[in-house]
Amino acid sequence: MPDPTILPAAAPDAMPGLLAALVAEQDREAAAWLETAVATPPLPGTAEFMRLFAIAGRKPAGTAPPGWPPARLARAALLAASVHAAGDEAPARLATAFRRSDSAERAAILQSLMLLPDPARFADLAADACRSSVQPVFEAIACDNRYPAAHFAEPVFNQMVLKAVITGAPLARVVGLAERTTAQLRRMAADFRDERRASNRPVPADLEFLLELGN
């Protein structure tokens, strides 16, 4: 089964169908429910969207691509259809949906960002999510997700990487880290290492890994 984050480029209105096809490989009953839901999708953040988004989290059972909990595929399909329907209102409406979501739903939104039409529009939401103190929410944007490498400005990306080190999110799962590592990021990492050593605190192994990138 292909990783949905590397699906071939598709028109925005085709992405829900591609995701639904992945769901169908796992659970045809769930796929039938999803087909009905995305046919006339509610706008993100509305009460009907939140209701369907919650239900989608219980569909389907089975396997999924690495890094993707099975139910997130259904949520990603519903989200892609709803964001496409929202047009220019999508950033504001998705921000509303994010605020109204629980932690699992927020993680699904973040992991799905690269599958949405014109994903660069959601950079502010993704950057704000990096401040989350809920580890699964932070890891949904920081780990196994192409969005930060593709759309984060350098300061935002650097802060995300350092937070990953601090919180124990594996840097090996930060997509595009080698390509986005700059001299500034290495300086920040070196300063953090020196602070840890000065206070006789252990230096995280991933910090040394980061400092070796590009050397």
Side-chain angles (χ1 to χ4, degrees):
M1 177 183 296
D3 182 339
T5 63
I6 57 173
L7 285 170
D13 57 348
M15 185 57 71
L18 291 174
L19 292 165
L22 292 179
V23 173
E25 292 181 14
Q26 303 172 51
D27 188 318
R28 293 194 178 278
E29 182 178 346
W33 176 89
L34 184 59
E35 182 178 1
T36 300
V38 302
T40 54
L43 296 179
T46 61
E48 180 62 7
F49 173 85
M50 302 311 301
R51 185 184 74 84
L52 292 178
F53 204 52
I55 294 172
R58 300 190 289 271
K59 302 176 182 290
T63 59
W68 276 76
R72 282 192 192 168
L73 292 176
R75 279 182 165 158
L78 176 62
L79 188 64
S82 297
V83 166
H84 176 61
D88 292 341
E89 297 179 5
R93 288 191 173 276
L94 189 58
T96 297
F98 192 81
R99 288 194 303 270
R100 294 178 178 175
S101 294
D102 62 23
S103 294
E105 291 164 347
R106 289 181 177 186
I109 289 171
L110 295 171
Q111 193 169 31
S112 303
L113 288 177
M114 281 298 287
L115 305 177
L116 304 182
D118 192 9
R121 299 181 290 172
F122 310 111
D124 287 344
L125 184 152
D128 286 343
C130 288
R131 303 186 182 98
S132 176
S133 60
V134 180
Q135 190 70 3
V137 173
F138 172 68
E139 290 191 8
I141 187 64
C143 299
D144 307 314
N145 192 336
R146 291 187 295 121
Y147 193 91
H151 297 295
F152 276 1
E154 182 179 346
V156 179
F157 187 85
N158 290 352
Q159 289 296 331
M160 182 196 76
V161 171
L162 285 185
K163 181 173 179 177
V165 171
I166 293 168
T167 63
L171 290 190
R173 294 174 57 199
V174 177
V175 178
L177 177 60
E179 293 76 14
R180 289 295 306 264
T181 295
T182 61
Q184 175 62 21
L185 179 54
R186 283 192 289 271
R187 281 194 296 270
M188 293 169 66
D191 289 344
F192 181 56
R193 178 192 58 189
D194 293 345
E195 291 174 7
R196 301 281 292 193
R197 288 175 173 172
S199 59
N200 293 317
R201 301 173 67 186
V203 176
D206 266 0
L207 197 56
E208 298 293 350
F209 168 78
L210 178 58
L211 287 167
E212 290 172 3
L213 283 176
N215 292 337

